[in-house]
């Protein structure tokens, strides 16, 4: 231990006489153990006794306390000696000193020997930047051009695997180092997500490096900053599993199957086979839930999925689409025949009684099948056809199997009529924004509202969005609808403000609005015409639009943010495959989908993960569909900022909403 010195009383007179301020700090007791005359002056102390009596832990920040413990470890492990600019606060006055620290053994205990080299001039900027560097949780390292370390800030020192580690040795995969070096050679800076060695073992760091000069020697150097994102990486892996699998049955869910569907079907067609999709829906499953309870309902779904899996050949796949709906995909040279045989066996097997809560229960199923023999593969169409066939099977008396036939599509004539009706309604101003309160979880105060579209139909009364939004999407009316609702919401925000209410408003954007190049211009126009405050407007987009074309998405988001409006990700948790976009895009809020909130008690995993994510990413978290005080307190405990839901109020026409807030 060449750098660690031992405390020997004989040396004292000499140290006392030095004009260099020297003191020994007792890390365990957070007190000065000894100081020479020059140090007493630095500390503004009358006597050694008075200085020793000061309890330094009193105004010591947590980070400084942690740092001291780490210093002790560094002394013990690496015989470390280091110098740092430290700010002391004798009698409350900041004093910046360059201090050299080394370990000293006093009666068998490791203490810290401090040697102040000079009194640095207290330029406030220097002082603050030195402080910032000392206290930031970001890891900052300066290497020379050969990759040897010149400086590490305390956070970096706390993490480094061993103190002489070089820039290159930091990496687990040399390729990451090479990629960064290439970036530096090309542009002088580079970024990379990489696995690195640390004192805690392998971690994921987001690394940024730029070429610079060492301020002391003037030589070329590399300034490296790192953030540990290991927790985010784990969350991402978990999220992707949760997003692609049904937690209850362990089968792939709608997302999970989507990624497999296309390759599976294409390969089969290339092999000269035909393919079929089979939609299976349990008949009157709701009765089971209602009469035997959710737990029995869940158990039935688990056992049904087991029965299904057992019937399938090795090349046939099953997924749970949601609720009591399953999808089977299969391929065969003559697939209709195979589908028919398999379908009949499924009907027979699923309807066999099973024992639940001490009762024998049996439930039948209905199956719809669509077939693609050759030619262009259109999955959406196949899914729609299987769905139509399944409903036809139900109409035909359940416990039944039906192939798709074009006659089933006649319904779409009715759809066309409805679309005409919608266009008429849009011209006539029949679409009205209702407002559902957004509530601050901590204070219970209403801080804004989400605008939700309602159709005040002259004959059919007030209609809900699920009866017209899908048709608007198909028929190309959703942009006009969106513009009308946005306009009403923006005007409403302005009116609230005129009445002295500082409320924000959020508005849903459909995916086809989002890809409309005229979107930002439209929003700007609406803001200008209405006098709505831009920072009080939040636009809600779904995750699916964030997974599309990076460049285009980024531009759209940036131009919206440039207007000053906020961006929320709606229905969060239902559609993602990776979370990288959360870091990349300028988002402000995440809205947890209602399904996770309603399932909190039984399956909190996803909601738990989303709360963690929001905290890590510094995003405002909004929970949707909160109906019970239990759900609210669960969310409050985890730091969720806002909620919406029937617990406070459903969406209301604006005059009724006003009664809530006035
Ligand atoms: P969303 O954006 O997820 O809106 C929340 C939906 O949950 C609303 O249904 C709301 O009434 C309902 N809700 C709120 N609190 C609770 C609760 O505590 N329990 C339950 N069970 N439900 C609750 P709504 O109004 O039927 O809207 C359905 C969807 O239609 C919306 O889902 C949104 O995606 C879409 N939508 C509504 N208005 C517009 C619009 O102006 N433009 C576009 N593009 N889409 C809209
Ligand atoms: Ca919404
Ligand atoms: Ca939502």
């Amino acid at each position: 231990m060449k750098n660690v010195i031992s405390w020997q009383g004989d040396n004292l007179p000499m140290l006392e006489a030095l004009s260099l301020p020297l003191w020994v700090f007792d890390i365990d007791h957070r007190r000065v153990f000894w100081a020479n005359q020059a140090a007493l002056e630095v500390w503004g102390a009358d006597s050694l006794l008075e200085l020793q009596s000061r309890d330094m832990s009193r105004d010591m920040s947590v980070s400084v306390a942690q740092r001291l413990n780490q210093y002790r470890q560094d002394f013990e492990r690496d015989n470390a000696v280091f110098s740092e600019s430290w700010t002391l606060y004798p009698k409350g006055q900041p004093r910046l000193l360059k201090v050299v620290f080394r370990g000293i053994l006093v009666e068998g205990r490791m203490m810290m020997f401090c040697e102040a080299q000079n009194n640095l001039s207290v330029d406030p900027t220097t002082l603050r930047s030195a402080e910032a560097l000392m206290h930031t949780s970001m890891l900052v390292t300066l290497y020379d051009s050969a990759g040897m370390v010149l400086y590490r800030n305390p956070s970096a020192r706390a993490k480094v695997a061993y103190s002489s580690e070089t820039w290159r040795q930091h990496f687990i995969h040399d390729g990451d180092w090479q990629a960064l070096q290439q970036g530096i050679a090309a542009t002088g800076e580079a970024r990379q997500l990489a696995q690195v060695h640390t004192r805690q073992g392998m971690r994921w760091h987001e690394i940024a490096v730029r070429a610079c000069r060492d301020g002391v020697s003037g030589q070329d150097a590399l300034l490296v900053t790192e953030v540990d994102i290991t927790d985010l990486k784990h969350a991402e892996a978990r999220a992707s599993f949760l997003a692609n699998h049904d937690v209850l049955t362990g089968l792939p869910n709608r997302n999970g199957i989507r990624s497999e569907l296309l390759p599976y079907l294409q390969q089969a067609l290339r092999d000269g086979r035909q393919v079929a999709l089979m939609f299976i829906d349990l008949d009157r499953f709701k009765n089971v839930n209602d009469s035997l309870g959710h737990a029995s309902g869940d158990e039935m779904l688990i056992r049904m999925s087991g029965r299904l899996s057992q019937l399938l050949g090795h090349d046939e796949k099953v997924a749970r689409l949601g609720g009591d709906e399953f999808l089977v995909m299969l391929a065969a040279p003559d697939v209709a025949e195979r589908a028919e045989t398999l379908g009949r066996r499924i009907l027979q097997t699923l309807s066999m009684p099973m024992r639940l809560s001490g009762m024998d229960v049996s439930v039948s199923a209905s199956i719809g099948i669509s077939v693609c023999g050759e030619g262009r593969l259109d999955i959406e169409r196949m899914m729609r056809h299987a769905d139509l066939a399944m409903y036809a099977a139900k109409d035909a008396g359940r416990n039944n199997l039906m192939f798709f036939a074009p006659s089933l599509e006649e319904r779409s004539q009715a759809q066309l009529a409805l679309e005409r009706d919608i266009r008429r309604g849009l011209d006539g101003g029949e679409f009205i924004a209702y407002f559902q309160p957004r509530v601050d979880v901590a204070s219970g105060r209403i801080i804004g509202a989400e605008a939700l579209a309602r159709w005040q139909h002259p004959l059919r009364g007030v209609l809900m969005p699920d009866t017209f939004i899908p048709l608007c999407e198909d028929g190309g009316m959703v942009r006009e609808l969106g513009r009308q609702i946005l306009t009403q919401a923006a005007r409403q925000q302005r009116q609230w403000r005129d009445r002295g209410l500082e409320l924000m408003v959020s508005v849903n954007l459909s995916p086809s609005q989002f890809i409309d190049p005229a979107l930002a211009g439209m929003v700007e126009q609406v803001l200008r015409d209405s006098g709505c405050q831009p920072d009080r407007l939040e636009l809600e987009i779904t995750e699916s639009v964030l997974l599309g074309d990076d460049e285009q998405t980024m531009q759209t988001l940036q131009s919206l943010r440039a207007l000053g409006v906020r961006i929320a990700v709606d229905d969060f948790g239902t559609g993602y495959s990776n979370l990288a976009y959360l870091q990349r895009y300028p988002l402000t809020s995440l809205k947890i989908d209602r399904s996770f909130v309603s399932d909190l008690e039984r399956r909190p995993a996803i909601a738990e993960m989303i709360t963690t994510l929001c905290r890590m990413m510094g995003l405002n978290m909004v929970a949707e569909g909160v109906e019970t005080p239990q759900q609210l307190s669960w969310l409050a405990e985890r730091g969720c900022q806002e909620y919406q839901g029937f617990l406070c109020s459903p969406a209301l026409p604006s005059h009724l909403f006003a009664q809530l807030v006035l």
Side-chain angles (χ1 to χ4, degrees):
M1 298 235 273
K2 62 181 186 309
N3 293 318
V4 169
I5 43 182
S6 287
W7 182 248
Q8 279 160 351
D10 326 352
N11 295 336
L12 272 187
M14 203 182 80
L15 296 177
E16 296 277 10
L18 279 177
S19 63
L20 216 56
L22 302 171
W23 67 96
V24 173
F25 187 76
D26 182 342
I27 302 173
D28 296 326
H29 299 115
R30 308 279 195 250
R31 280 172 198 278
V32 171
F33 174 77
W34 170 86
N36 70 359
Q37 189 57 39
L40 291 182
E41 277 161 34
V42 165
W43 282 98
D46 305 333
S47 66
L48 181 58
L49 221 56
E50 188 264 317
L51 183 58
Q52 285 171 328
S53 71
R54 292 188 197 171
D55 178 3
M56 303 285 185
S57 68
R58 275 189 27 227
D59 35 34
M60 185 178 282
S61 69
V62 179
S63 71
V64 171
Q66 281 172 349
R67 196 126 48 85
L68 284 174
N69 290 333
Q70 188 219 318
Y71 284 3
R72 188 209 335 251
Q73 282 181 27
D74 290 344
F75 298 143
E76 285 167 354
R77 229 176 43 136
D78 293 343
N79 311 330
V81 176
F82 36 83
S83 71
E84 263 170 9
S85 305
W86 264 57
T87 316
L88 306 181
Y89 294 89
K91 309 223 154 107
Q93 285 304 308
R95 187 143 183 203
L96 184 63
L97 292 171
K98 180 148 184 237
V99 186
V100 177
F101 303 101
R102 50 165 58 84
I104 182 168
L105 274 173
V106 182
E107 291 147 13
R109 281 198 299 125
M110 186 62 78
M111 296 194 187
M112 186 159 86
F113 187 79
C114 313
E115 177 186 337
Q117 297 212 312
N118 50 6
N119 212 339
L120 297 180
S121 71
V122 191
D123 159 20
T125 313
T126 316
L127 191 122
R128 290 192 181 116
S129 59
E131 284 284 280
L133 201 57
M134 296 283 286
H135 291 282
T136 178
S137 62
M138 186 174 290
L139 282 47
V140 182
T141 312
L142 190 70
Y143 294 100
D144 68 13
S145 51
M148 307 301 282
V149 65
L150 295 171
Y151 169 79
R152 283 192 183 96
N153 77 339
S155 292
R157 256 199 337 262
K159 284 282 189 114
V160 71
Y162 54 96
S163 53
S164 62
E165 184 191 75
T166 65
W167 168 225
R168 187 170 189 168
Q169 287 164 342
H170 190 38
F171 294 89
I172 289 182
H173 306 293
D174 204 52
D176 289 325
W177 174 81
Q178 286 167 11
L180 283 165
Q181 290 297 103
Q182 278 168 12
I184 300 163
T187 63
E189 57 183 24
R191 269 177 186 280
Q192 181 92 357
L193 205 61
Q195 290 175 291
V196 297
H197 298 286
T198 75
R199 199 175 281 198
Q200 290 94 28
M202 194 284 282
R203 304 285 289 179
W204 280 98
H205 283 188
E206 163 130 44
I207 302 177
V209 50
R210 64 166 58 231
C212 64
R213 272 184 201 288
D214 170 27
V216 176
S217 64
Q219 304 288 316
D220 287 343
L222 291 179
L223 181 66
V224 177
T225 54
E226 297 170 63
V227 181
D228 189 327
I229 58 150
T230 310
D231 294 342
L232 185 63
K233 271 282 177 198
H234 288 166
E236 183 176 304
R238 191 164 161 67
S240 128
F241 181 84
L242 291 174
N244 289 311
H245 290 83
D246 168 42
V247 194
L248 183 65
T249 60
L251 295 178
N253 62 12
R254 202 176 269 273
N255 285 320
I257 201 71
R258 235 162 235 280
S259 53
E260 285 187 41
L261 203 55
L262 190 63
Y264 175 90
L265 298 181
Q266 280 172 334
Q267 185 58 45
L269 288 175
R270 271 200 298 274
D271 297 347
R273 291 176 293 169
Q274 300 177 329
V275 293
L277 296 184
M278 203 183 253
F279 270 36
I280 306 165
D281 191 283
L282 303 182
D283 297 330
R284 305 203 172 86
F285 174 71
K286 194 170 170 303
N287 290 352
V288 177
N289 260 340
D290 292 349
S291 57
L292 300 180
H294 276 286
S296 297
D298 282 358
E299 191 180 339
M300 171 172 273
L301 290 172
I302 294 170
R303 286 164 62 180
M304 288 298 194
S305 71
R307 288 179 179 183
L308 268 176
S309 305
Q310 281 190 345
L311 289 175
L312 301 183
H314 78 282
D315 197 23
E316 294 163 341
K317 297 188 185 217
V318 59
R320 182 172 172 215
L321 293 179
D324 56 348
E325 233 178 70
F326 297 89
L327 167 77
V328 168
M329 48 188 187
L330 62 160
D334 187 359
V335 86
E337 203 173 299
R338 165 72 187 149
E340 168 115 33
T341 338
L342 180 62
R344 299 260 169 240
R345 287 193 60 201
I346 289 177
L347 287 177
Q348 196 188 10
T349 312
L350 293 188
S351 61
M352 289 193 313
M354 68 172 67
R355 206 160 178 80
L356 286 177
S357 312
M359 297 210 307
D360 284 324
V361 186
S362 55
V363 160
S364 63
S366 299
I367 299 182
I369 303 168
S370 66
V371 170
C372 175
E374 57 199 10
R376 209 174 73 84
L377 184 67
D378 182 344
I379 293 180
E380 297 304 326
R381 201 172 135 100
M382 278 186 81
M383 301 268 276
R384 210 167 53 238
H385 287 177
D387 199 36
L388 281 173
M390 192 267 290
Y391 278 105
K394 283 212 191 272
D395 288 345
R398 300 169 206 265
N399 197 16
N400 215 330
L401 165 161
M402 196 81 97
F403 281 85
F404 170 78
S407 63
L408 294 178
E409 270 195 313
E410 269 161 28
R411 265 180 48 187
S412 62
Q413 279 307 319
Q415 286 184 3
L416 285 176
L418 200 49
E419 284 181 19
R420 272 198 301 278
D421 202 18
I422 291 175
R423 289 205 183 82
R424 185 197 49 74
L426 280 169
D427 288 341
E430 292 172 12
F431 290 86
I432 306 290
Y434 273 38
F435 295 91
Q436 181 176 43
R438 285 177 65 157
V439 189
D440 181 49
V441 169
S443 67
R445 287 217 336 262
I446 294 176
I447 53 177
E450 174 175 0
L452 291 161
R454 298 290 180 265
W455 184 6
Q456 290 185 327
H457 194 277
L459 304 174
R460 298 162 63 202
V462 176
L463 301 179
M464 301 302 276
D466 57 341
T467 62
F468 57 85
I469 300 260
L471 286 166
C472 287
E473 300 261 12
D474 290 349
M477 293 88 79
V478 79
R479 288 181 201 177
E480 175 56 18
L481 173 72
R483 197 189 57 77
Q484 293 194 9
I485 298 295
L486 177 67
T487 306
Q488 295 177 32
R491 286 192 186 139
Q492 189 60 63
Q493 199 280 333
R494 172 62 199 250
Q495 276 184 23
W496 288 328
R497 192 167 53 133
D498 290 345
R499 293 205 236 160
L501 295 168
E502 286 296 321
L503 295 173
M504 53 110 52
V505 72
S506 60
V507 176
N508 294 285
L509 282 191
S510 84
S512 47
Q513 278 181 284
F514 190 79
I515 56 171
D516 178 4
L519 174 68
M522 187 275 282
V523 174
E524 187 178 12
Q525 177 84 39
V526 170
L527 285 170
R528 197 157 358 103
D529 294 349
S530 63
C532 168
Q533 290 163 282
D535 61 339
R536 292 291 162 117
L537 175 64
E538 187 161 84
L539 299 177
E540 301 191 0
I541 56 182
T542 54
E543 286 179 282
S544 59
V545 310
L546 296 178
L547 302 176
D549 174 10
D550 267 9
E551 194 67 12
Q552 195 61 43
T553 307
M554 183 64 108
Q555 272 187 14
T556 308
L557 289 172
Q558 281 173 344
S559 55
L560 290 172
R561 293 286 286 136
L563 297 175
V565 304
R566 300 163 53 89
I567 310 282
V569 181
D570 202 0
D571 302 341
F572 185 75
T574 54
Y576 46 74
S577 48
N578 82 75
L579 297 170
Y581 72 82
L582 288 180
Q583 279 182 301
R584 195 161 56 234
Y585 295 135
L587 306 169
T588 39
S589 306
L590 290 190
K591 303 190 75 173
I592 304 198
D593 189 61
R594 196 162 77 225
S595 58
F596 303 126
V597 174
S598 67
D599 236 14
L600 270 186
E601 270 149 48
R602 293 191 300 154
R603 287 193 279 278
I606 296 188
E608 193 87 64
M609 187 209 81
I610 298 174
T611 52
T612 314
L613 262 176
C614 286
R615 227 177 303 126
M616 285 194 293
M617 316 290 309
L619 290 166
N620 183 42
M621 173 172 159
V622 187
E624 303 190 296
V626 176
E627 296 183 355
T628 68
Q630 288 79 7
Q631 290 164 348
L632 181 58
S633 56
W634 191 97
L635 293 159
E637 276 162 26
R638 282 157 185 83
C640 173
Q641 285 98 342
E642 280 180 54
Y643 82 92
Q644 290 174 234
F646 296 167
L647 181 63
C648 173
S649 164
L652 300 171
S654 63
H655 68 280
L656 293 179
F657 179 82
Q659 291 179 5
L660 277 186
V661 287
L662 279 176

